[in-house]
Amino acid sequence: MGLVPARRSDAERQIASGLRTGWVALATFLGLIALSAALVVAFEHAIAVAEDLSHEDERLLVSRFLARTMESEVSAQIGLINWDETIAHIDAAPHSPRDMAWLDREFGSYAWLMFKTDHAFLVRADGTPLRGWALGAPVDAAQIAPLRATIAALIATSMRPGMTLGNEAGQIRLADGARWPVDRSGMPLPRWAGGLVRVGGNPEIITTGSVVPDKVAGLFTHAPVYFVTLRPLAPLALGRMRRDLLLPDLGVTARPARTALDNAIPLAAPDGTALGWLRWTPKSPGPIKLQRAAPMLWGWMLLFAGVLIGGSVVLRRSWRIARELLASEAQARHNALHDAMSGLPNRVHYMQRLRQDLAACIGGQARGDVFVGYIDLDAFKVINDTLGHHVGDEVVRQVALRLRRKLPAGDFIARFGGDEFVVLRRAEGGRAMADQLGRQIMAVLDEPFTISGSVIDMTCSCGISWGPAQSEDPGELLRRADIALYRAKQRGRARYRCFTRDMDASVKLRLELEMELRRAIARDELTIAYQPIVSLGTGEIQGVEALLRWHHPERGAIRPDLFVPIAEKGGLMIVLGNWILRAVFGACRDWPSCDISVNLSPLQIMAGDFVATMAAIVKETGIDPWRVVLEVTEGVMLDRSDHVLATLRELNRMGFRIALDDFGKGYSSLSYLRLFQFERIKIDRAFVSNIETDADANAILCTIASLGHSLRMKVVAEGVETETQRRLVQAAGCELGQGYLFWKPMSADAMRALLDAQSDRRVLKLA
Ligand code: C2E
Ligand code: CA
Ligand code: CA
């Protein structure tokens, strides 16, 4: 019993650790999933931020590039606007066609040819045009009118600090008071500014560069003339930007974006007029980064998937193992507490329950008593030994089934092994309840069983005890039920007995008797008495029945009714039976002719070697088997095995006759009579003693007698004590009688003398 809880906690520990592992694995997976999700979100966010920043950078880059383009436009013109000669020609031009022609050549056509400036103007600081060109050819300078405001704004811008070409080292003051940047050698530096304007619907780059001397600083005395050029943004400037900035689709559009991904900067004239947008598809570092990160991401994903799959396999396995452990644990616990054959709780389980219920009653948590009903099947051993174990097993299973089905659901039914079942009932009612339990248990086997086609009449005996009234100790309570059971068996089986205090003493007595019987057999203290069996017609002794006697040195005569079952239970019956056969055959061998009846215990017949034993004893004693009647009880017929019938037939063949003893007692069935050709039927004493008062008994006696005759069997009435009984049994058709009315059992010598006297009388009669 100690094993059960220990094994349980072991298994439970394993299960708990399995489940723990499972949970840890699950938590790890969930963590990994969360981590991956967070990584993906963070990655996406980082990409979005990076893209935003990079768009911003691109816009800045494009703006600067545009500004640099304008500056370089002016820088490219440095040879024209930073030249002493230019100043001289400009100063002279208004009055000299030659100088104007020089300007036309150097500024108008040269700029057109070199820089594709579709419009160019020379403008005074106050905005008045000096000369204008379109596509290299002089035009009316008044064409400048729409650009006036723009040019004024650009000139103003060029006056801001930093809008000089070349390194500014200081400033000089001009005649009109304005300050002008100069380089280290004191030469004035050109100032510039750039912007965009719309010309004929298209944005053009407009730049201004102040015309300053390059060698003779003295030429620069007053506000300079500005060279203003216009050049379409597309295709030249845009083409360069596309190439240099790696923005192949950079273009001017009316709206900032065609798609959500587009990047753009607004284009505005220096006076603030909106000119549209410079739009391009951004280089989008997001996808690029994504592309770069893809192998790593894939690796991560694969690793994650691997971990997930592996983990789920491990998780499922650990859960399956836990489940299996739980199942096997439950199975082990069930097995530890149940009997495999019947499925009923076993002794261990029963004792646990008994202890628990008894404690509850003693502790006052439950009212009433705990009743223990100890059940033993009658003649189960016979069935098992002769019909085979498979039939015995089936009987056990069917009995278990019936007990469960017929007893109230609250009863706890266990099998202790073999043919022993024990019922536990918690109820009030003391002795009355014990009786009720006994009756209910007896009723369970009321109907016969049908097993493998044959009908088996089964009875059981039962002993009942109850605690705490009779004992507070579970073991003792069970022992007392067992004692009561033994008493029920002793009383002829097929009954229940409730434990009483005096039974305890009788159990002790039984154990003592068993010991003493062994000793008595060894010391040859047993004797045989003989009782005549007389012919009811003539009154002559037809035969004798050998009856075992035990005269105990202290206890006096002990009845065979008492000690034969002790011998049977104590395993002494075969030895004792063989001793009886030898003693009887030896004693009666020389007796005058008469039948000699010997009682056989069922255990003797069922022993495998009984026929051989008999043959040996016959040989040893020299008895004539034809003189011997072997008396068997119905118990032996309970089991309809071929073995018993074959043994009886073999004995028959050897010459022995077989009598069916105690007919009408216990579980008689007339059907037994058809199974075997008995030489005689002995009608039980109890039956005969009723015959005077019970008309039914008489009628039944008549029936049995006539049935016996029709089956060619003699009918013997046992226990004939009165003359009336003698008359009645004779009238019923019994031809033989045995009883105190004729003779009581007597010693061998007395019997011998009686037989001798009878044979003498016979001889006399004949004479
Ligand atoms: P049984 O085989 O039915 O034996 C007859 C019993 O009835 C004997 O009791 C006998 O003394 C008793 N009896 C005979 N006439 C009368 C009568 O008129 N009135 C009363 N009240 N009793 C009468 P016994 O000798 O005490 O034997 C009891 C049982 O013990 C036997 O019943 C038999 O079953 C068993 N037994 C006796 N000897 C042997 C034996 O050698 N071997 C075996 N296996 N069993 C034996
Ligand atoms: Ca007998
Ligand atoms: Ca008898």
Side-chain angles (χ1 to χ4, degrees):
M1 272 171 70
L3 252 176
V4 179
R7 201 167 49 188
R8 180 184 159 185
S9 64
D10 249 17
E12 270 178 359
R13 259 203 301 280
Q14 284 181 47
I15 292 160
S17 97
L19 283 174
R20 241 193 335 265
T21 315
W23 285 119
V24 168
L26 185 68
T28 311
F29 296 148
L30 293 178
L32 279 172
I33 288 172
L35 186 68
S36 306
L39 272 173
V40 168
V41 168
F43 194 73
E44 280 193 340
H45 181 72
I47 286 173
V49 169
E51 271 189 345
D52 277 356
L53 287 175
S54 127
H55 287 188
E56 182 73 45
D57 282 355
E58 273 182 353
R59 282 195 293 275
L60 212 63
L61 199 68
V62 170
S63 301
R64 291 244 177 97
F65 201 92
L66 197 58
R68 304 275 323 154
T69 303
M70 292 170 187
E71 188 183 353
S72 59
E73 298 260 304
V74 184
S75 294
Q77 297 164 8
I78 196 98
L80 288 178
I81 59 175
N82 192 8
W83 192 14
D84 289 356
E85 232 172 289
T86 306
I87 295 188
H89 286 293
I90 286 173
D91 284 346
H95 324 287
S96 154
R98 208 166 52 89
D99 289 308
M100 196 59 92
W102 187 88
L103 288 180
D104 285 343
R105 192 176 61 248
E106 294 298 328
F107 279 81
S109 29
Y110 181 79
W112 162 242
L113 285 174
M114 290 303 290
F115 316 120
K116 291 286 171 255
T117 53
D118 52 6
H119 288 89
F121 298 95
L122 277 171
V123 181
R124 293 190 196 283
D126 62 2
T128 41
L130 195 69
R131 188 72 169 168
W133 300 273
L135 309 178
V139 290
D140 182 3
Q143 279 189 12
I144 206 168
L147 296 170
R148 263 218 157 103
T150 304
I151 292 168
L154 285 177
I155 291 172
T157 304
S158 73
M159 300 306 281
R160 287 191 204 142
M163 296 301 285
T164 48
L165 298 177
N167 296 324
E168 184 179 336
Q171 291 195 334
I172 53 164
R173 194 177 288 272
L174 300 184
D176 55 4
R179 294 178 154 287
W180 200 268
V182 290
D183 64 9
R184 252 190 291 146
S185 56
M187 286 307 297
L189 293 168
R191 279 182 149 145
W192 77 279
L196 293 165
V197 285
R198 194 184 298 278
V199 177
N202 295 315
E204 298 208 348
I205 295 172
I206 179 167
T207 56
T208 60
S210 56
V211 180
V212 291
D214 64 332
K215 290 193 181 75
V216 184
L219 289 175
F220 191 65
T221 52
H222 53 278
V225 166
Y226 290 86
F227 184 46
V228 177
T229 57
L230 283 97
R231 196 162 77 121
L233 189 56
L236 285 177
L238 268 186
R240 229 177 64 221
M241 283 171 81
R242 284 176 187 147
R243 221 175 30 249
D244 292 357
L245 293 175
L246 302 173
L247 298 173
D249 67 343
L250 185 82
V252 177
T253 54
R255 265 167 298 147
R258 281 185 316 204
T259 70
L261 293 173
D262 281 355
N263 205 357
I265 52 166
L267 298 178
D271 62 356
T273 316
L275 299 176
W277 297 81
L278 199 51
R279 188 217 62 82
W280 67 95
T281 303
K283 279 188 281 209
S284 277
I288 292 167
K289 284 184 183 162
L290 205 62
Q291 225 170 29
R292 291 223 183 107
M296 192 195 80
L297 268 180
W298 276 116
W300 168 249
M301 287 306 213
L302 278 176
L303 180 76
F304 181 69
V307 168
L308 203 68
I309 291 166
S312 68
V313 167
V314 169
L315 196 69
R316 279 186 52 168
R317 263 194 64 147
S318 67
W319 265 333
R320 205 191 60 224
I321 288 168
R323 259 206 319 276
E324 281 172 5
L325 270 171
L326 269 175
S328 70
E329 157 71 359
Q331 188 62 49
R333 274 169 72 178
H334 182 91
N335 291 350
L337 295 176
H338 288 81
D339 162 54
M341 194 198 291
S342 64
L344 290 177
N346 61 13
R347 184 188 284 270
V348 172
H349 199 356
Y350 186 91
M351 291 311 286
Q352 279 179 358
R353 181 66 183 264
L354 178 59
R355 209 170 295 124
Q356 194 180 308
D357 284 9
L358 208 52
C361 287
I362 295 165
Q365 296 99 305
R367 287 153 63 91
D369 281 299
V370 183
F371 293 83
V372 175
Y374 209 125
I375 304 167
D376 188 285
L377 302 182
D378 299 328
F380 178 72
K381 188 171 161 41
V382 177
I383 289 179
N384 226 2
D385 289 352
T386 56
L387 289 182
H389 287 279
H390 62 284
V391 176
D393 291 353
E394 192 50 37
V395 168
V396 167
R397 275 191 283 270
Q398 293 210 15
V399 170
L401 209 68
R402 268 210 213 166
L403 283 169
R404 242 192 301 198
R405 215 181 285 155
K406 290 203 171 182
L407 291 179
D411 286 359
F412 187 85
I413 303 158
R415 176 177 177 235
F416 275 20
D419 58 342
E420 292 179 3
F421 297 87
V422 191
V423 179
L424 184 152
R425 175 177 293 181
R426 243 163 77 166
E428 294 181 68
R431 172 66 198 237
M433 177 48 77
D435 279 321
Q436 188 186 324
L437 175 60
R439 281 193 301 274
Q440 285 174 330
I441 287 172
M442 286 302 116
V444 166
L445 299 186
D446 268 351
E447 289 147 37
F449 291 100
T450 307
I451 291 168
S452 325
S454 52
V455 178
I456 296 178
D457 293 305
M458 178 64 79
T459 58
C460 69
S461 305
C462 173
I464 298 166
S465 66
W466 58 99
Q470 292 190 331
S471 172
E472 294 194 353
D473 176 59
E476 177 60 19
L477 212 51
L478 207 63
R479 194 183 72 87
R480 293 188 173 193
D482 191 24
I483 291 169
L485 167 66
Y486 175 73
R487 190 49 79 85
K489 291 251 176 204
Q490 238 185 353
R491 283 289 154 86
R493 307 177 168 190
R495 67 198 68 213
Y496 74 89
R497 278 283 173 273
C498 295
F499 177 82
T500 52
R501 299 224 167 263
D502 58 299
M503 284 184 187
D504 217 2
S506 85
V507 169
K508 273 195 210 113
L509 177 67
R510 186 175 68 91
L511 290 174
E512 281 170 20
L513 282 183
E514 188 182 319
M515 252 164 45
E516 286 162 5
L517 182 60
R518 279 176 204 279
R519 221 176 298 148
I521 295 168
R523 292 182 189 168
D524 225 357
E525 283 173 8
L526 299 171
T527 55
I528 312 277
Y530 296 87
Q531 186 180 29
I533 297 167
V534 300
S535 163
L536 290 175
T538 61
E540 269 192 15
I541 298 172
Q542 192 272 337
V544 297
E545 180 177 1
L547 296 163
L548 192 54
R549 290 291 174 264
W550 179 17
H551 192 85
H552 194 281
E554 287 123 41
R555 300 182 199 273
I558 299 174
R559 293 199 339 266
D561 281 340
L562 184 66
F563 73 81
V564 166
I566 290 176
E568 281 176 342
K569 251 204 152 148
L572 299 169
M573 200 56 230
I574 306 288
V575 179
L576 187 58
N578 291 347
W579 176 86
I580 295 164
L581 290 166
R582 273 197 194 86
V584 173
F585 292 174
C588 305
R589 190 183 44 217
D590 308 325
W591 287 3
S593 93
C594 73
D595 291 340
I596 295 152
S597 295
V598 186
N599 292 290
L600 290 182
S601 157
L603 294 185
Q604 287 176 276
I605 297 167
M606 284 178 305
D609 56 351
F610 185 62
V611 172
T613 307
M614 276 302 250
I617 295 173
V618 166
K619 206 170 163 200
E620 200 180 303
T621 55
I623 189 87
D624 177 2
W626 289 100
R627 293 186 63 190
V628 178
V629 178
L630 299 173
E631 297 192 0
V632 299
T633 53
E634 289 166 328
V636 90
M637 298 306 294
L638 257 183
D639 108 60
R640 301 169 190 186
S641 77
D642 295 342
H643 171 69
V644 166
L645 290 178
T647 305
L648 294 179
R649 287 203 189 97
E650 191 52 39
L651 291 169
N652 242 183
R653 244 196 304 282
M654 288 165 73
F656 295 108
R657 285 166 287 161
I658 314 290
L660 185 58
D661 202 0
D662 298 346
F663 193 83
K665 174 180 168 183
Y667 19 69
S668 290
S669 165
L670 292 173
S671 63
Y672 298 146
L673 297 178
R674 287 187 222 284
L675 289 176
F676 184 77
Q677 184 61 51
F678 293 104
E679 192 260 345
R680 61 181 71 175
I681 311 165
K682 296 187 78 176
I683 294 169
D684 190 63
R685 195 166 74 227
F687 224 92
V688 175
S689 64
N690 278 344
I691 199 172
E692 286 169 281
T693 49
D694 187 348
D696 284 348
N698 198 6
I700 293 169
L701 188 70
C702 292
T703 312
I704 294 170
S706 76
L707 182 72
H709 289 145
S710 70
L711 293 169
R712 288 174 284 110
M713 296 173 187
K714 286 183 190 146
V715 181
V716 187
E718 288 189 314
V720 180
E721 293 184 345
T722 65
E723 185 51 41
T724 319
Q725 285 171 355
R726 191 199 69 81
R727 211 164 23 77
L728 285 171
V729 296
Q730 194 181 4
C734 301
E735 49 265 86
L736 297 171
Q738 181 181 358
Y740 295 169
L741 176 68
F742 312 109
W743 279 282
K744 284 195 170 178
M746 61 191 79
S747 69
D749 291 341
M751 192 66 238
R752 169 93 202 237
L754 193 59
L755 285 172
D756 283 342
Q758 180 173 285
S759 74
D760 287 350
R761 266 203 307 282
R762 237 186 251 154
V763 173
L764 271 177
K765 249 186 213 165
L766 282 174

